[in-house]
Amino acid sequence: MAGGFDDFREELRDQLVRCADEAAASDRARTAGAASRRVRRRTVQWPEPRRALAWAGVLTVGVAALAAGLLMVGSGGRSQAPVSTSGLLATPGQSLPAYVAPVLPRVSSSPSGAANQSASRPGYSLASIGALSASDVWAVGARGDAGAKGVLAGIQDHSFIVHYDGTAWREASAPDIGPLTAVATAADGEAWTLGPSGAILHWDGWKWTIADQAGGAVLRGLVAVEPNDVWAVGSEQGAPFTEHWDGASWHSVALPAPPVAGALNAISGSASDLWAVGAAADGTRVLTAHWDGTRWSYVPDAGVSDGGLLTVAAVAPNDVWAGGDALLQHWDGTQWRDVSQSFSGVRGALAAVSSSDVWLGAADGMAHWDGAAWRPVTAQQLGLSGHANAQIGAVSALSPTDVWAAGTLGVSSASSAPLVVHWDGSAWSLAVDSVQNR
């Protein structure tokens, strides 16, 4: 890249020198002609102001071109992705390397703002959220067609991805592979997300592209342990399925014969200590599988006879939480145990900061583990007073003072909005409850 810029700089210098030589030669010719023919100078040369403007134009173009070259070198040879604030939503299927359509935060705790969205507008939902830093947060889900019937009806149509850059949430343009179920962020700033039929999208810091298409598989859970160590879980032909990214390619990793037909829904942990959880196909029992860095094995569950697990958060080898279908279970390093609690609803999202700081999202709100007990988090505490149809389906925890939760907000009988709330260590606040349409 440096050699290309050096050539560019030399060419620009040569062009400026040629311009100067030609102007000097023209002046000498005009001076000689004026002396021999006594012709008025104004008929054979630019007036001085125009000459100055011409040279200023040449120099301006040169400096601008030089600056563009320097910017190109500084950005590694690629232009920076433009940011649009026009408010126009991206067309599904586009693969533009740019953010479009700001998703505007609403600061009012009243549901009237979101409810004022036209019932003919599309429905939105967020199924997963992943935070890499305070200024790099991704959330994914689905966008449905306008006029769909029911609060959540019709949203299973198009991919929907939004990003927070520390200032605002904006929708990101990406290939449309259908509703997205999970997102994971890697330490190098890259991100991954899953769609139906085994499709995987990858963010390389510049644009979203289709990275893999595991035909026949249905993927549901995702974790990025390291940039070259990413796992996806789901099912294939009625059996649990895992797939791994090693930094070069995606490939399936064999599981032992499952105790029952079913699927894995979520995955969490470290390179040599991963847990994947799911459910039997008939919903009569849960599935728990463990990766020790070399191979997968199934681990006896807590003996629950009904239900399935939808989410898992691994804090330590002897401290793992799993939840779903009104279940809450804990791994203490030896066995899984069922955990009783006072709150109700489906447990759809877990995120852990430490052994005494674990968050759980559920259909009816959230709960927090403080190391001693699980305590419900009310809608009022979440900043959702008056929002009767709010559902938290995803949580991502960076630190005790930086936790994000996402889900869906029903705003009418035919429309829904994306929902994002944030914990700053002292209180929850509403970050997003609508999409700007113009």
Side-chain angles (χ1 to χ4, degrees):
M1 184 65 207
F5 177 69
D6 289 339
D7 294 340
F8 164 82
R9 183 179 57 189
E10 290 300 318
E11 181 180 354
L12 177 61
R13 184 186 63 82
D14 292 340
Q15 290 178 355
L16 292 174
V17 170
R18 284 196 298 272
C19 287
D21 290 342
E22 290 171 1
S26 178
D27 282 345
R28 289 193 297 270
R30 283 193 294 271
T31 300
S36 60
R37 296 188 299 272
R38 299 291 191 263
V39 178
R40 293 172 60 95
R41 294 186 65 184
R42 63 181 177 84
T43 64
V44 295
Q45 71 171 37
W46 290 337
E48 291 301 322
R50 290 179 59 191
R51 182 189 299 179
L53 288 174
W55 274 105
V58 171
L59 291 175
T60 299
V61 171
V63 171
L66 183 61
L70 289 172
L71 286 175
M72 186 176 295
V73 171
S75 61
R78 66 186 185 189
S79 59
Q80 301 300 308
V83 175
S84 168
T85 57
S86 64
L88 300 177
L89 289 174
T91 301
Q94 286 181 320
S95 182
L96 302 176
Y99 295 131
V100 295
V103 179
L104 299 182
R106 305 183 69 92
V107 298
S108 172
S109 61
S110 168
S112 60
N116 284 336
Q117 296 184 93
S118 170
S120 65
R121 288 179 175 173
Y124 296 85
S125 69
L126 291 174
S128 181
I129 189 167
L132 181 62
S133 70
S135 60
D136 192 1
V137 186
W138 291 97
V140 303
R143 181 185 68 81
D145 292 329
K149 296 181 179 180
V151 172
L152 300 180
I155 62 175
Q156 307 302 316
D157 293 329
H158 307 292
S159 301
F160 181 56
I161 304 177
V162 291
H163 181 258
Y164 181 69
D165 59 8
T167 302
W169 284 90
R170 294 184 174 89
E171 184 180 1
S173 179
D176 184 16
I177 61 172
L180 303 173
T181 58
V183 66
T185 55
D188 59 355
E190 298 185 4
W192 303 84
T193 186
L194 304 177
S197 302
I200 300 176
L201 293 181
H202 175 236
W203 171 261
D204 62 4
W206 167 243
K207 63 182 181 299
W208 285 98
T209 57
I210 297 177
D212 189 57
Q213 183 75 39
V218 177
L219 301 178
R220 297 179 174 89
L222 185 67
V223 65
V225 180
E226 297 289 347
N228 62 347
D229 188 6
V230 185
W231 288 89
V233 299
S235 63
E236 185 177 43
Q237 297 180 350
F241 174 82
T242 68
E243 192 174 12
H244 182 251
W245 167 259
D246 59 11
S249 64
W250 282 94
H251 57 275
S252 60
V253 179
L255 285 158
V260 294
L264 297 173
N265 296 319
I267 183 171
S268 175
S270 62
S272 59
D273 187 19
L274 279 170
W275 286 94
V277 301
D282 59 5
T284 58
R285 60 174 293 178
V286 304
L287 289 173
T288 53
H290 181 256
W291 171 262
D292 62 6
T294 303
R295 62 182 181 274
W296 284 99
S297 61
Y298 288 100
V299 178
D301 57 59
V304 179
S305 60
D306 188 22
L309 296 175
L310 301 173
T311 180
V312 62
V315 184
N318 63 347
D319 189 4
V320 184
W321 291 93
D325 289 345
L327 301 176
L328 187 59
Q329 298 184 0
H330 183 258
W331 171 261
D332 61 9
T334 303
Q335 62 182 336
W336 284 97
R337 299 178 184 273
D338 193 47
V339 178
S340 61
Q341 69 290 317
S342 60
F343 52 91
S344 62
V346 175
R347 292 89 168 100
L350 276 162
V353 178
S354 67
S355 60
S356 61
D357 191 2
V358 185
W359 294 93
L360 172 65
D364 60 350
M366 293 187 69
H368 180 253
W369 171 260
D370 59 11
W374 282 97
R375 307 183 189 282
V377 180
T378 67
Q380 183 177 4
Q381 290 173 313
L382 289 171
L384 298 174
S385 298
H387 292 280
N389 297 316
Q391 297 183 6
I392 301 295
V395 185
S396 182
L398 280 172
S399 71
T401 60
D402 195 0
V403 181
W404 293 92
T408 304
L409 181 65
V411 296
S412 74
S413 61
S415 181
S416 57
L419 173 66
V420 180
V421 292
H422 181 254
W423 169 259
D424 63 5
S426 59
W428 286 93
S429 60
L430 183 61
V432 173
D433 72 347
S434 67
V435 175
Q436 182 188 30
N437 291 282
R438 291 181 182 174

